[in-house]
Amino acid sequence: MQADDKLVTSLWAKKKECEGQLYWLSLKQHLLDTMNVSRWLWMYWLSDSQRRFCISSLSNHDSKTALNLVAFLGAIHDIGKATPAFQIRKGFGSSNRLDEKIIEALQNAGFEGLHNLSLADPNKSLHSRASEYLLKNTFQVGEDIVSIVGAHHGKPDDDMCSVNEQSAYLANYYQDEKNATIQERWKNVQSTIFNWALRITSFESVLHLPKISKTAQVIYSGILIMADWISSNCDYFPLVPFESKGGLEINSDERFEKGIQLWCKNLPFQIRNNPDVDDLFMSRFGFEPRDFQRVVYRTTSQIQNPGILIIEAPMGLGKTEAMLVASELLAQKNGSSGLFFGLPTQATSNGMFGRVHAWLKDLTDMYGVTQSLRLCHGKAALNEEMNKLLRESSIQDINIDDTDNSCVFVNEWFAGRKKTALDDFVVGTVDGFLCCALKQKHLALRHLGFSKKVVVVDEVHAYDTYMQQYLEESIRWMGAYGVPVILASATLPQDKRKSLILAYLKGKGFKSRDITLTNDISGNKYPLITYTDGKEVKVETDFLNTNVKTVDVKRLNKGEILFRIEELLEGDGVIGIIVNTVKEAQNLGRELKDRFGNNTVVILHSAFIATDRIVKESNLLDMIGKNGKRPKRKIIIGTQVIEQSLDIDFDVLITDLCPVDLLLQRIGRLHRHERKRPDKHKNPVVYVMGTSDSFDFEKGSVLVYGKFYLIRTQCYLPDKISIPSDIPDLVNKVYGTEHPDLSEELNNIYQESIIRHNNDVENKKVKAKTYCIDNPVGLINPTRNNLIGWLKNLNNADSEETVNAQVRDIRETVEVIAVKKVGSGYGTFKDNADISELVCNETIAKELAKNTIRLPYYVTCNKGVSATVTELEKYNRQKLKNWQKYSWLKGALGIIFDENGCFEINGIKLRYDDEFGLREEISDGEV
């Protein structure tokens, strides 16, 4: 592309009017910017493992070709803007003056007839599709590269027909379908740009462009999108005054150096070596490793070709520290940079964020580097530690050239759902990882981010059949990219363990016949490490014996619970009660408070305002956590929130029947810590409620868990459980294929439960596949294996909440900010002070935004979510209209409970207080 080519340099890529001044950027300059950024990202931002993967996925396996291809994509991605359909487009700012001046400049350069050009269907040839058409039909570029360019706005075409049909709109490309002279002018300009892109990226001709596997196309697509976003950001690559006549005086090298320096806050770092096990644990965590942690270190150190590693061990052995150390070792071996640490809930993610922060701080200090850390979930913006880190980052002068500036910070460029995965180190809910398998716009960016990291997913047992489909597909893609994956669980059924291993290896390209599963993978050893080394599947079972805790298991009729608790409290102590539904926790909590006193009973479940729940959880940890000030007697009643996230310790446990792996999780809160206990509770005992000789289980329990696993858990539940030795055998019995020995009558009920269970499982699998991407394809075939159709039947969720709901298959409900009427205004339930005139204060608005609660399903199930939202929007326009002025409250829905804590919606009267939480009030005063 010659600098004096008036036709080429007159083409615009971006334009806007700002405060009366006219700005633009030539197409030539934008292509140069994007090419330079793309090349820089390849050389400095990608991990060693990503570059290695991309090189191996090209037809010629050449490193220079891989780099040149990245640059070529940047240099050619907007060739579709070199068309009359784009050049006569109006600017988004509706600046008629600027539009007219650009058309005038184009005509002066030689594009005659544009001032009165009116195309019949210009929107049929939007520039990304126009780029595809020109590359494929005019320049004979392979469909692999064509599909990457076509996807640079986030979504590939659903089929190639939409590209081929562009021949029906030739005027959009050449201005006039009949005038050969005018057509030739546009064709020459397009050829000039294409040939320039080849030449500047060292390709002699189109025939020298490489062929690419489909999996690598995803990564190249992510790089191109990221580069385009950076180069299109006017803070880094500003538009120039229109009078600059195309920006010919711009020094592109200086422009690039300045722009990338403004964008780049830190460089990813590669771990080149690791300390020995004692030094590593002492440095990172301040203590010597336990035997279990030594075995994890030793096993990981011996892996030659990292893949997937599954750690199964009981609570209290230090799995978190072991996983962080293993991630360091695997990152060093694989050439990965960064970490994703995924957990089941926001609460567990918040708890892990501080631990990863401390670990990363030591890691960055050790290597003298700066790295970015981010918390990723729907309420991350309200997390105090994250905000503190963000505030510290904003006042630091982050300089990548300052080798003395080693720290952990928050890089704000990576904020937002679509860019979070690109950050260096990310802690969040597992949804972020599951979404790697969800069809959504800009999915390539998520894959780009995850493909450079080590991925850690904790508490894998917590994911149901539906989530399992997304988990396995995401793991399969990680296998395709060669990403090390660490999974952890206290308990895993054999079949689930096998399916996770096979998903990874099949993603890596191995056929079932090539994979040999050792017999130990199906054994009952515990603790257990199962891992792959290349295509080999290995296990590690050589652990020192851990202390055995024998738990007595006793059945308890729910009608006898008050009597039993009264008997248990005679010896004092802390009694934990875990039930399966919020309603049961509230009802039982009311009975217990009436019987044993309000101060003796604490209720915890998910139907509390977020701020109240945080306080309750913190109080519980202070009371019965590892170092808590333990009360003489207490009754704690809760739901699954207790089994999932809290490190608390009961002297005796009463629990509803639930599937055995979850039951074991609950039992993990029984005699969890070493401490002196009341004489009556020296031996751990769990009372299991809800068993039924006729398999007639409580409706709520069946709705949550299904009857099939409740039956099997009841049938195989022993009178004593030795923990941890009995865990694998018990889990494998319940989740195995052998059937319990039952009477004819009970067997009929059991067989019906099997049919329903299998139907539910199949329905969940089918439902998950609706928006789940296809398996990765590593073979090179540009015509068949390209990105066309990769995101067909796209999920159009536009918020993090709705995206997460898609991968979790949760019932769709509505989240609101809950406030209470105070005088003529409103305030939070906690402070009971009128803040209605103070929400303009950012601090108050932010605190108010933390007071969220999700409306129960029974509130929305009849009218539907959309109708409920519509009603709430109308209510908010009347009562809380000023919220939309302030960033922390904008878009939120609020409800104002009356002085008694009541609010009516959809004909349902709700009541809230911090004692019982949110519930339905059936009649006046009765709930």
Side-chain angles (χ1 to χ4, degrees):
M1 197 185 305
Q2 299 299 317
D4 60 350
D5 188 333
K6 290 184 177 180
L7 288 174
V8 172
T9 55
S10 67
L11 298 172
W12 68 275
K14 301 179 183 300
K15 59 182 177 179
K16 72 173 183 179
E17 181 174 352
C18 182
E19 297 180 350
Q21 299 297 311
L22 306 182
Y23 298 91
W24 81 322
L25 195 68
S26 71
L27 176 59
K28 167 202 161 186
Q29 188 60 55
H30 176 59
L31 294 177
L32 270 171
D33 290 343
T34 310
M35 179 194 71
N36 286 331
V37 173
S38 298
R39 183 182 281 130
W40 185 92
L41 290 174
W42 173 274
M43 296 174 65
Y44 301 108
W45 187 82
L46 262 62
S47 67
D48 291 348
S49 60
Q50 286 176 305
R51 285 189 290 267
R52 186 176 66 246
F53 165 75
C54 289
I55 292 166
S56 68
S57 300
L58 299 186
S59 52
N60 65 356
H61 305 300
D62 179 69
S63 59
K64 289 185 178 179
T65 302
L67 170 59
N68 291 338
L69 176 60
V70 165
F72 175 77
L73 291 168
I76 205 65
H77 76 286
D78 269 351
I79 192 174
K81 290 183 176 180
T83 59
F86 181 85
Q87 290 299 310
I88 65 171
R89 286 179 67 89
K90 302 294 185 182
F92 291 116
S94 301
S95 173
N96 292 329
R97 186 162 64 101
L98 179 57
D99 293 336
E100 291 170 0
K101 282 187 171 291
I102 284 180
I103 293 296
E104 181 182 350
L106 288 167
Q107 292 207 143
N108 291 339
F111 289 110
E112 299 174 359
L114 291 183
H115 68 283
N116 58 0
L117 177 63
S118 177
L119 298 172
D121 297 292
N123 290 331
K124 295 289 187 181
S125 305
L126 298 178
H127 76 269
S128 57
R129 183 165 294 168
S131 295
E132 286 182 279
Y133 176 75
L134 291 172
L135 292 177
K136 179 179 183 291
N137 290 65
T138 302
F139 303 113
Q140 306 302 306
V141 175
E143 291 180 17
D144 46 1
I145 293 176
V146 167
S147 69
I148 295 172
V149 171
H152 82 268
H153 282 297
K155 182 184 181 297
D157 278 312
D158 288 341
D159 53 65
M160 193 54 78
C161 293
S162 55
V163 178
N164 295 332
E165 289 170 356
Q166 290 298 298
S167 58
Y169 308 103
L170 292 181
N172 291 342
Y173 292 84
Y174 309 119
Q175 189 172 335
D176 192 309
E177 294 186 5
K178 298 179 180 179
N179 191 316
T181 301
I182 292 178
Q183 287 186 15
E184 195 64 25
R185 184 180 300 129
W186 285 102
K187 289 178 180 179
N188 286 339
V189 165
Q190 293 156 3
S191 294
T192 298
I193 294 172
F194 180 76
N195 291 327
W196 163 81
L198 287 174
R199 185 174 63 255
I200 201 170
T201 57
S202 302
F203 290 109
E204 293 182 19
S205 71
V206 68
L207 298 177
H208 290 83
L209 291 171
K211 298 178 176 62
I212 325 166
S213 74
K214 184 175 180 177
T215 46
Q217 290 169 43
V218 176
I219 302 304
Y220 274 99
S221 175
I223 298 171
L224 177 58
I225 295 170
M226 185 176 178
D228 191 29
W229 283 9
I230 295 171
S231 64
S232 298
N233 189 312
C234 293
D235 291 336
Y236 313 128
F237 295 90
L239 306 189
V240 297
F242 179 73
E243 290 73 17
S244 61
K245 298 179 181 179
L248 293 180
E249 75 281 4
I250 294 176
N251 185 316
S252 294
D253 290 338
E254 289 182 2
R255 174 180 168 86
F256 165 71
E257 291 294 337
K258 183 177 180 179
I260 205 66
Q261 189 173 37
L262 287 170
W263 175 81
C264 181
K265 304 301 181 185
N266 69 287
L267 295 174
F269 81 103
Q270 308 284 166
I271 299 175
R272 301 303 181 190
N273 53 68
N274 294 105
D276 65 34
V277 61
D278 291 297
D279 290 344
L280 188 53
F281 272 84
M282 186 58 69
S283 172
R284 299 288 184 268
F285 313 114
F287 57 78
E288 293 184 355
R290 303 175 182 180
D291 171 72
F292 167 77
Q293 295 166 332
R294 288 182 184 277
V295 175
V296 173
Y297 179 97
R298 183 184 69 236
T299 303
T300 311
S301 298
Q302 294 170 353
I303 297 174
Q304 298 299 313
N305 187 354
I308 187 171
L309 183 143
I310 303 176
I311 301 174
E312 296 173 64
M315 296 67 71
L317 294 186
K319 285 198 295 290
T320 297
E321 292 83 4
M323 287 188 290
L324 290 173
V325 164
S327 70
E328 285 191 49
L329 297 174
L330 293 176
Q332 185 269 324
K333 289 174 177 290
N334 194 60
S336 305
S337 61
L339 172 78
F340 172 83
F341 204 121
L343 300 109
T345 66
Q346 293 182 3
T348 49
S349 300
N350 288 338
M352 188 59 64
F353 183 73
R355 299 173 74 176
V356 173
H357 183 194
W359 164 79
L360 183 58
K361 180 66 170 63
D362 185 84
L363 185 66
T364 55
D365 286 347
M366 176 178 173
Y367 285 92
V369 296
T370 299
Q371 291 292 277
S372 178
L373 173 66
R374 181 168 298 278
L375 180 63
C376 174
H377 60 64
K379 298 289 188 300
L382 302 177
N383 181 271
E384 284 305 320
E385 185 165 0
M386 173 75 171
N387 283 325
K388 180 181 178 183
L389 191 59
L390 182 59
R391 289 192 298 270
E392 292 172 352
S393 303
S394 66
I395 62 176
Q396 289 184 54
D397 183 17
I398 305 297
N399 183 352
I400 64 172
D401 296 321
D402 183 0
T403 57
D404 294 328
N405 183 21
S406 62
C407 66
V408 179
F409 74 107
V410 177
N411 189 336
E412 272 298 272
W413 191 84
F414 295 110
R417 177 169 59 88
K418 295 179 179 180
K419 293 188 291 186
T420 293
L422 298 169
D423 213 341
D424 300 319
F425 291 83
V426 181
V427 178
T429 52
V430 71
D431 313 281
F433 180 55
L434 300 185
C435 284
C436 286
L438 180 68
K439 292 180 179 179
Q440 55 185 316
K441 280 192 74 173
H442 299 103
L443 180 59
L445 284 178
R446 191 177 296 271
H447 280 234
L448 178 64
F450 273 93
S451 62
K452 69 185 301 186
K453 295 179 173 64
V454 174
V455 174
V456 177
V457 179
D458 200 3
E459 301 193 44
V460 182
H461 62 272
Y463 311 131
D464 63 12
T465 299
Y466 183 90
M467 294 175 70
Q468 186 77 6
Q469 309 311 305
Y470 285 99
L471 177 64
E472 289 188 14
E473 192 60 43
S474 297
I475 287 174
R476 193 182 290 257
W477 277 85
M478 295 305 105
Y481 297 134
V483 172
V485 174
I486 302 172
L487 307 178
S489 175
T491 54
L492 266 189
Q494 294 173 2
D495 287 346
K496 184 173 285 191
R497 186 187 309 134
K498 290 179 183 178
S499 65
L500 294 170
I501 291 286
L502 289 175
Y504 189 90
L505 289 178
K506 288 181 179 180
K508 213 168 175 65
F510 296 118
K511 305 294 184 183
S512 296
R513 63 177 179 270
D514 299 325
I515 302 170
T516 302
L517 297 177
T518 173
N519 290 333
D520 289 334
I521 196 176
S522 302
N524 288 335
K525 300 288 187 179
Y526 194 73
L528 175 67
I529 301 175
T530 311
Y531 64 99
T532 63
D533 196 342
K535 68 177 181 180
E536 293 185 75
V537 181
K538 301 180 179 181
V539 299
E540 177 57 67
T541 61
D542 186 17
F543 296 90
L544 292 179
N545 291 331
T546 56
N547 294 330
V548 175
K549 176 174 68 178
T550 300
V551 179
D552 288 329
V553 181
K554 300 182 179 182
R555 271 71 168 176
L556 177 63
N557 187 312
K558 193 162 282 190
E560 301 174 357
I561 187 171
L562 295 180
F563 168 78
R564 180 63 61 191
I565 291 175
E566 197 167 66
E567 180 184 65
L568 292 170
L569 281 180
E570 288 176 0
D572 294 331
V574 177
I575 300 175
I577 306 174
I578 304 178
V579 294
N580 292 339
T581 66
V582 170
K583 185 176 181 180
E584 178 66 12
Q586 291 171 332
N587 291 339
L588 184 55
R590 181 173 291 102
E591 287 187 62
L592 296 176
K593 282 176 176 285
D594 291 341
R595 183 70 167 266
F596 301 105
N598 195 60
N599 292 332
T600 303
V601 181
V602 175
I603 303 173
L604 178 64
H605 49 69
S606 59
F608 283 102
I609 293 172
T611 48
D612 287 346
R613 179 173 163 182
I614 290 171
V615 171
K616 285 178 174 290
E617 290 179 349
S618 178
N619 290 341
L620 271 184
L621 290 171
D622 291 340
M623 184 193 311
I624 59 172
K626 188 171 185 178
N627 300 310
K629 295 180 179 179
R630 207 164 180 84
K632 184 177 181 181
R633 57 161 52 186
K634 208 76 175 178
I635 301 171
I636 314 296
I637 179 168
T639 57
Q640 292 83 350
V641 297
I642 291 179
E643 89 190 26
Q644 289 180 346
S645 58
L646 294 177
D647 184 14
I648 53 180
D649 178 2
F650 301 129
D651 293 317
V652 62
L653 175 66
I654 300 173
T655 173
D656 271 343
L657 181 69
C658 61
V660 68
D661 50 337
L662 305 180
L663 181 62
L664 290 167
Q665 284 292 117
R666 296 178 182 186
I667 293 174
R669 271 68 191 168
L670 174 63
H671 287 216
R672 185 177 180 89
H673 304 132
E674 290 292 331
R675 68 175 72 253
K676 184 178 180 181
R677 301 186 187 277
D679 291 339
K680 194 176 183 70
H681 305 307
K682 283 188 177 299
N683 298 318
V685 180
V686 57
Y687 293 88
V688 179
M689 302 183 295
T691 59
S692 170
D693 292 337
S694 61
F695 295 161
D696 184 20
F697 303 113
E698 290 184 342
K699 183 179 178 180
S701 294
V702 173
L703 185 64
V704 174
Y705 297 118
K707 183 172 283 191
F708 176 67
Y709 283 127
L710 294 179
I711 292 175
R712 291 186 64 88
T713 298
Q714 175 177 307
C715 289
Y716 291 113
L717 189 63
D719 294 331
K720 291 182 181 293
I721 302 176
S722 294
I723 295 178
S725 55
D726 286 347
I727 289 178
D729 183 59
L730 190 52
V731 170
N732 290 327
K733 279 182 179 178
V734 172
Y735 286 95
T737 56
E738 292 186 9
H739 300 299
D741 185 15
L742 301 169
S743 68
E744 182 177 353
E745 181 181 357
L746 290 180
N747 191 57
N748 289 335
I749 298 174
Y750 174 61
Q751 292 300 324
E752 289 177 5
S753 77
I754 292 176
I755 294 172
R756 175 163 290 189
H757 169 73
N758 290 339
N759 287 339
D760 288 344
V761 168
E762 191 57 34
N763 289 338
K764 285 179 179 292
K765 288 181 177 179
V766 170
K767 184 178 180 181
K769 287 185 181 297
T770 302
Y771 295 119
C772 194
I773 61 175
D774 293 332
N775 296 340
V777 178
L779 298 176
I780 295 177
N781 186 326
T783 304
R784 294 184 58 185
N785 300 332
N786 54 58
L787 296 183
I788 301 297
W790 187 51
L791 299 182
K792 190 174 183 178
N793 191 28
L794 188 76
N795 180 279
N796 289 311
D798 58 357
S799 70
E800 187 167 4
E801 182 178 343
T802 50
V803 167
N804 292 350
Q806 181 59 51
V807 295
R808 284 185 181 259
D809 190 33
I810 57 178
R811 288 172 168 174
E812 192 176 7
T813 59
V814 181
E815 185 178 80
V816 297
I817 295 175
V819 294
K820 183 179 181 180
K821 181 174 173 58
V822 178
S824 60
Y826 57 81
T828 64
F829 278 82
K830 176 184 176 183
D831 296 323
N832 204 34
D834 185 0
I835 60 170
S836 57
E837 300 298 325
L838 303 175
V839 292
C840 55
N841 183 295
E842 184 176 359
T843 300
I844 291 176
K846 181 180 175 182
E847 289 302 311
L848 178 58
K850 296 178 181 179
N851 289 263
T852 57
I853 192 168
R854 192 169 294 279
L855 297 180
Y857 176 69
Y858 59 75
V859 172
T860 60
C861 62
N862 290 329
K863 283 195 173 182
V865 170
S866 296
T868 304
V869 169
T870 299
E871 182 177 333
L872 285 172
E873 287 175 339
K874 180 180 179 181
Y875 171 86
N876 275 250
R877 285 193 293 270
Q878 295 173 347
K879 305 290 186 179
L880 300 167
K881 184 177 181 180
N882 64 331
W883 280 19
Q884 304 309 309
K885 301 177 183 178
Y886 311 114
S887 59
W888 285 106
L889 301 172
K890 187 179 178 69
L893 295 171
I895 59 178
I896 305 174
F897 289 81
D898 65 22
E899 294 92 336
N900 298 315
C902 294
F903 182 84
E904 187 169 328
I905 182 171
N906 291 348
I908 296 173
K909 189 175 183 181
L910 299 174
R911 178 184 289 274
Y912 182 86
D913 57 55
D914 64 0
E915 188 176 2
F916 294 100
L918 185 66
R919 69 271 191 202
E920 181 181 3
E921 187 170 275
I922 306 301
S923 59
D924 192 27
E926 181 183 343
V927 294

